[in-house]
Amino acid sequence: MGEWQPERDYEENRLTQTLNLAGKQLKAAKEAAEGIRSEIMEAKEEMWEDAPHGITNLSSMEDFEAIVELSQYQSAVINQIADYEGKERQIRLLQRIMESPYFARIDFAFDGEDEAEKIYIGRHLLKKENAQEIAVYDWRSPVAGVFYRFMTGKAFYDAPCGRITGEVTKKRQYEIKNGTLEYFFDADVEIVDEVLRQLLSQNATAKMKSVVETIQREQDVVIRDMKNDLLMVQGVAGSGKTSIALHRAAYLMYQGLQNKLAANNILIVSPNMAFEQYISDVLPELGEEQAESMVFDDLLRAVIKDKKIQPRNEFLENLLCRPKNAEIMKKGIRFKTSEQFRRVLDRFVSEIPGRWMKLDDVFYEGKRIAAAGVLKQKLSEAAARGSGREPVRLGVRLEQLETYVLECAFGSGKQRGIRAEKSVVRQELRSMLKLDIPALYSSLFQEEAWDMSGRASEEETCGLSEQELQEIRAYTLRNLGSGRLAYDDAIAAAYLYLKIYGAEGYRNIRQVVIDEAQDYYPLQYRIFGLLFPNAKFTVLGDLHQTIEKCEEFSFYERTAGILNQKTSSLITLHKSFRCTNEILKFSLRFLPEGEAAGEHSEIESFNRSGDEVTVMTADSTRALTERIAEEIALCRRRGFGSIGLICRTEANAAGLYQRLKSMTDIRLVRAGSMPELQGAFLIPVYMAKGLEFDAVILCDADSLNYCDDDDKSLLYVACTRALHRLSVFGEKEISPLID
């Protein structure tokens, strides 16, 4: 201990200096914020005192000048509010720095220099008072990459000026809480692994936390990648994909200081609302504004505004309840979201003007101003003008046609006194030219249009037989007659809409992060491309965690082809940090034969030991419920903060909730809810994806619920949610997939 005392004294002194520096800046920021706040209040009072209150005549020059003066007041106040909000953000950041200013230090001897520079690394940048020297480097800075990628010895990093080389002579990590140095250690591989092992042994939190202190080398490669417009990550369960995605978003915003990439330029596509809630604190914790997060259902509703749409969770619930038409549901969504059906939809769009639109003669004041034949010809000419270049969308051609007819009737100039007449003609035109996309889509499945085998090759039927196609057609027509769009039909209808009208609402999005990427079908990736034409993509998935379909490794190649970015890369992450050795070993039995050791599926454990997985059955529903209640009590005694009771479906979870609620404190997580995942709660397996819990109780793992190969992925997803303890329960007979 004695030989460490000088080092301890040095680090204590360095921490004190850093906290004093941050404290001064915090005090100055608070004073500046208060000053701006006072100025805003004074400006508001002055605005209302000085501005005329009797503005009544907008045509009066005096009143017009008064309005201009008032708007100038408002503009000044708006600018001051923006300054105040900026100071408030600075205050929040400095308050976080005061709690823990840094977590690491590297001593880096730049080539050509004799003495190593001590570089302290934290979550946020802290400059010295002259604003030229840096007291603490942001974890996203180029030099901080050395901490994540190298141990002591030769090292390098890439800076804007080029590659910088040197040697790491010391690598030190700190635990600082509430401004107090708890401990520090000089890192080597064994010590770093042991510290990470201790961190992983802690309980999960209600929301995902940032992991800047424990980012691994292979994860850092993904986070800092700036070369690829499409970055794809195949990561096993527990490899940190979601955390990587969020830290990558924060890194891109940091880089955005140069290229103006802000939070409103990034969109995170989440699998469900519970997941959205779970990740909502990470970016703010890193000092960044929360990027917009949406589920795919939100995107469908944004495109198809005038039709009710079945949520994906409901689609999965219906499918997993094992209805008689489950196979047709699976084949239907696979067919209607395939590249083959996309070609059918594209051909259908090209046929709409000639076959599916009724164009009539247009009259004005009893005189025909445009014949139906001429209108059809104009639409065809507009389409032809697009050949050889980017095709002119049908929606644009219809707008051009409307302009043509109005010019025929009223001329091209702005004429007074005809606004009302022009409005009447425009309304009549729009009623004729407006396309009802759901109705058009429905017409594709009518008998006179349904000739897949005759009008398309076998490839365009996804290898389905004529009988299977007819079953899909009948199933689709029943759904379309229900008054709302089924999930798979909504995807196809949204694609039709975007091919016809395009999308303008998301042109500001420049980076799209797609988590649980394996759950999306080819047509959905086409929709991503149409919705976000200016975006680059980060796509993260695990082929083993699909729910209603199976995917092979070629999935990533197909996705790259659809998104069609200039540069792309695929990175695989094999190491799982979430589960204990025992839980991971148990979970691997649900992977397809031979896959666990395959080229792209080799799964490594971080080597953390824990309890053996328990598998139990009960003779009756009542006995099963009692055993589950006992397991919940045991988990609570063990101090586990989050206990996830996972069921195959929401219906199963709801039934168990009714039996358990009088026996123990428990909550039911339903589709569409955004709960804090603490305590004991019941959740269907498809909503548990991407989440993690201290303990998992798989409640319905019997032969009735999990009996065929398609169910293996459900069991794999459920079991790999557990950090520390996994218990598997079934009624009467355990699933044959577990034995």
Side-chain angles (χ1 to χ4, degrees), residues 469-722:
L469 287 172
Q470 290 296 340
E471 289 174 343
I472 290 171
R473 183 174 82 90
Y475 161 72
T476 302
L477 286 173
R478 286 196 301 273
N479 285 338
L480 291 171
S482 70
R484 68 169 183 170
L485 285 171
Y487 179 68
D488 52 352
D489 294 317
I491 295 170
Y495 176 78
L496 271 183
Y497 188 99
L498 292 170
K499 288 295 289 185
I500 293 169
Y501 291 110
E504 300 296 327
Y506 299 100
R507 291 195 173 272
N508 64 305
I509 299 298
R510 291 161 55 194
Q511 177 71 213
V512 177
V513 178
I514 303 174
D515 207 347
E516 299 294 339
Q518 75 284 346
D519 287 344
Y520 299 101
Y521 292 84
L523 198 62
Q524 290 172 290
Y525 282 102
R526 291 284 177 186
I527 289 172
F528 288 138
L530 292 169
L531 281 174
F532 312 114
N534 301 323
K536 301 176 182 180
F537 292 85
T538 301
V539 172
L540 308 103
D542 180 7
L543 300 178
H544 300 307
Q545 295 189 59
T546 56
I547 295 290
E548 79 279 16
K549 60 178 178 137
C550 294
E551 288 290 359
E552 298 177 347
F553 208 76
S554 58
F555 163 84
Y556 292 106
E557 184 179 351
R558 294 196 307 272
T559 300
I562 292 171
L563 293 177
N564 193 29
Q565 300 289 301
K566 290 181 181 178
T567 56
S568 65
S569 179
L570 172 63
I571 296 174
T572 56
L573 301 176
H574 299 297
K575 185 173 287 188
S576 175
F577 297 94
R578 177 186 297 139
C579 304
T580 61
N581 296 339
E582 292 79 6
I583 294 171
L584 186 61
K585 181 181 178 181
F586 181 86
S587 303
L588 291 181
R589 70 181 66 191
F590 305 120
L591 298 186
E593 285 294 328
E595 284 278 326
E599 178 185 356
H600 303 300
S601 306
E602 184 180 350
I603 298 178
E604 305 171 23
S605 169
F606 182 66
N607 194 24
R608 181 170 65 90
S609 296
D611 297 344
E612 290 292 337
V613 177
T614 58
V615 179
M616 290 179 279
T617 58
D619 293 335
S620 65
T621 301
R622 180 181 179 83
L624 177 66
T625 306
E626 290 173 349
R627 286 202 169 188
I628 290 173
E630 290 169 1
E631 178 66 18
I632 294 171
L634 173 61
C635 290
R636 284 179 171 142
R637 288 196 300 272
R638 293 278 301 274
F640 296 136
S642 60
I643 307 166
L645 285 78
I646 299 180
C647 295
R648 178 186 176 89
T649 63
E650 186 178 308
N652 286 8
L656 181 55
Y657 171 74
Q658 292 300 323
R659 299 192 298 274
L660 271 175
K661 65 180 183 179
S662 61
M663 303 169 67
T664 186
D665 182 21
I666 195 166
R667 290 177 295 120
L668 175 63
V669 179
R670 292 185 178 276
S673 61
M674 298 180 69
E676 278 209 353
L677 301 174
Q678 281 291 86
F681 48 86
L682 282 150
I683 187 170
V685 63
Y686 52 84
M687 286 187 64
K689 295 186 69 174
L691 307 177
E692 61 183 29
F693 318 122
D694 294 328
V696 164
I697 304 173
L698 183 51
C699 301
D700 54 1
D702 46 52
S703 57
L704 180 65
N705 285 293
Y706 301 92
C707 55
D708 57 40
D709 283 348
D710 287 349
D711 295 329
K712 286 183 176 180
S713 60
L714 297 176
L715 291 169
Y716 180 73
V717 169
C719 293
T720 54
R721 300 309 94 201

Side-chain angles (χ1 to χ4, degrees), residues 25-35 87-88 91 94-95:
Q25 294 182 17
L26 178 59
K27 181 181 178 183
K30 287 181 176 179
E31 290 173 352
E34 185 57 35
K87 285 296 177 186
E88 284 291 296
I91 289 168
L94 286 165
Q95 286 171 336

Side-chain angles (χ1 to χ4, degrees), residues 383-409:
R385 286 200 295 273
S387 61
R389 302 192 301 271
E390 187 71 20
V392 178
R393 289 196 306 268
L394 177 57
V396 173
R397 285 148 49 199
L398 292 172
E399 289 178 1
Q400 293 171 344
L401 190 62
E402 179 186 311
T403 301
Y404 165 77
V405 174
L406 291 173
E407 288 180 353
C408 287

